[in-house]
Amino acid sequence: MSTTPPPQAPTDRPRPVTSERTPDDGALGWLRALGPRGRRAFAGAFGGYALDSYDYFTLPLSMVALSAYFGLNSGQTGLFTTVTLVVSAIGGALAGVLADRVGRVKALMVTVITYAVFTVACGFAPNYETLLVFRALQGLGFGGEWAVGAILVAEYASASHRGRTLGAVQSSWAVGWGLAVVVYTLVFSVAGDDLAWRVMFWTGALPALLVIWLRRNVHDAPEAAAAREQSAEKGRFAAIFKPGLLRTTVFAGLLSTGVQGGYYTLATWVPTYLKSERDLSVVGTGGYLAFLISGAFIGYLTGGYLTDRLGRRRNIWLFALLSALCILAYANIPSGANTLLLVLGFPLGFCMSAIFSGFGSYLSELYPTAVRGTGQGFTYNTGRAVGAVFPTTVGFLADSWGVGGALVFGAIGYGIAALALLGLPETRGKELA
């Protein structure tokens, strides 16, 4: 007679986190624990998000050249970011529903193709209005990629490692950002501004190569796919607004609004701030951004570790406070103190990225399997859309306050995020089907 215990049904109940050491502990224990299929899913999500970041940053890095080429004011350039993020809410919500209905990997491929095609199209825009439309359509794919990729990996990751695993996925944003800065420095150093901004957008075709690899090598987590297929609720917007999930949806959307409002304020306007108010050259701007991006990369990894150690809510609270303080300090550095500006870029990048590390695991854990894509896609990208008001507000305030003074507005977003946590539970240790 076999003594093997029967398999246990997957559960969404929180389990206590123990301090007992396992073979999967250690610096790369989270990666070993994924298994071969999980590691391929991680690679796909990592690559997709890195290229998503690369395509996003082609615009902020080219903003000064675009403004001169089309004769735009600060409000008009800020509108580029706003339409991208507003439309990304639609794309993200639709991608979440698609992920629940047809699977995570298929939805991931759709989002990558969408943002790549319209990023390239931006490089052919003959006027401001056309570029605005193409950038908005790019947002359809941009909005969905992160939520779908994060869920794909979250469903492979164990409860004890999920924060670190999703933090590592988030770190790919800094990788894509860094790659964009390198290409920006090379392109704008070789080509004139009128051509260079177009070349930046044309390089956004790179993600097409990732789609081919995803199709051949990456698959949904088997248990989660089976649970999703068995549910009649899968991929229904109405399900995340039912009494049992309505509170979660409202406060998760508010949390996402605050964090992304603060983040995109900085991501959009710091390059312009460095060139227009600090009078840095293209190479000089790239050097200062290198400090910011290095801090961001380490922040993602550190935040992922801390979200497993401290819990999801404490990690977000901690870095909401620190991010707000860093913005205030960065925007008020005296004129001429560019060495201090360089040094402070590291903690600014660290804090504003570490707060994101818990998002992939936290939002995945707040929703049941059948509507996980719908819930995460909707709340994360609704936050993007509402948070998009922040960069536009900074654009209009910049004409009277200066870009540096207007950046302080981003600190308000982190205050909103801290308040939103009061309406959400702690989910550390929760198993996912």
Side-chain angles (χ1 to χ4, degrees), residues 164-185:
R164 277 163 282 186
T165 305
L166 271 296
V169 172
Q170 291 272 184
S171 73
S172 65
W173 182 265
V175 173
W177 189 2
L179 179 61
V181 170
V182 170
V183 174
Y184 156 79
T185 303

Side-chain angles (χ1 to χ4, degrees), residues 64-266:
V64 173
L66 281 170
S67 297
Y69 187 86
F70 291 118
L72 308 178
N73 59 38
S74 296
Q76 289 174 307
T77 53
L79 192 58
F80 279 125
T81 298
T82 298
V83 297
T84 302
L85 300 183
V86 169
V87 176
S88 78
I90 300 171
L94 293 176
V97 171
L98 189 67
D100 285 337
R101 292 187 177 180
V102 306
R104 316 318 191 194
V105 175
K106 290 180 180 178
L108 184 62
M109 289 191 292
V110 170
T111 63
V112 172
I113 291 171
T114 301
Y115 73 66
V117 167
F118 287 109
T119 297
V120 173
C122 285
F124 294 98
N127 52 50
Y128 170 70
E129 292 76 16
T130 304
L131 180 58
L132 196 63
V133 171
F134 284 154
R135 187 63 179 181
L137 294 173
Q138 187 261 4
L140 288 174
F142 170 71
E145 196 286 333
W146 179 84
V148 176
I151 294 165
L152 171 66
V153 177
E155 290 175 343
Y156 273 107
S158 65
S160 59
H161 295 108
R162 191 172 297 119
R164 277 163 282 186
T165 305
L166 271 296
V169 172
Q170 291 272 184
S171 73
S172 65
W173 182 265
V175 173
W177 189 2
L179 179 61
V181 170
V182 170
V183 174
Y184 156 79
T185 303
L186 292 173
V187 170
F188 275 81
S189 296
V190 173
D193 284 7
D194 289 354
L195 175 63
W197 70 264
R198 293 187 184 276
V199 175
M200 282 295 294
F201 283 119
W202 292 336
T203 61
L206 289 172
L209 299 175
L210 176 68
V211 173
I212 299 172
W213 185 83
L214 284 171
R215 183 177 177 84
R216 294 178 177 176
N217 297 283
V218 182
H219 306 280
D220 290 0
E223 289 186 9
R228 176 176 53 80
E229 287 295 332
Q230 293 168 7
S231 175
E233 290 282 300
K234 63 180 181 180
R236 294 180 63 246
F237 275 121
I240 65 173
F241 292 100
K242 288 185 176 180
L245 289 174
L246 177 60
R247 178 187 175 92
T248 295
T249 298
V250 170
F251 281 98
L254 191 61
L255 172 67
S256 183
T257 295
V259 171
Q260 297 194 80
Y263 180 86
Y264 283 109
T265 295
L266 294 169

Side-chain angles (χ1 to χ4, degrees), residues 391-406:
T392 299
T393 302
V394 169
F396 284 107
L397 291 176
D399 290 333
S400 55
W401 294 13
V403 177

Side-chain angles (χ1 to χ4, degrees), residues 82 116 150 174 202 205 252 268 291 350 359 391 415 421-422:
T82 298
W202 292 336
T268 301
F291 265 72
F350 181 92
F359 260 53
L421 287 170
L422 298 175

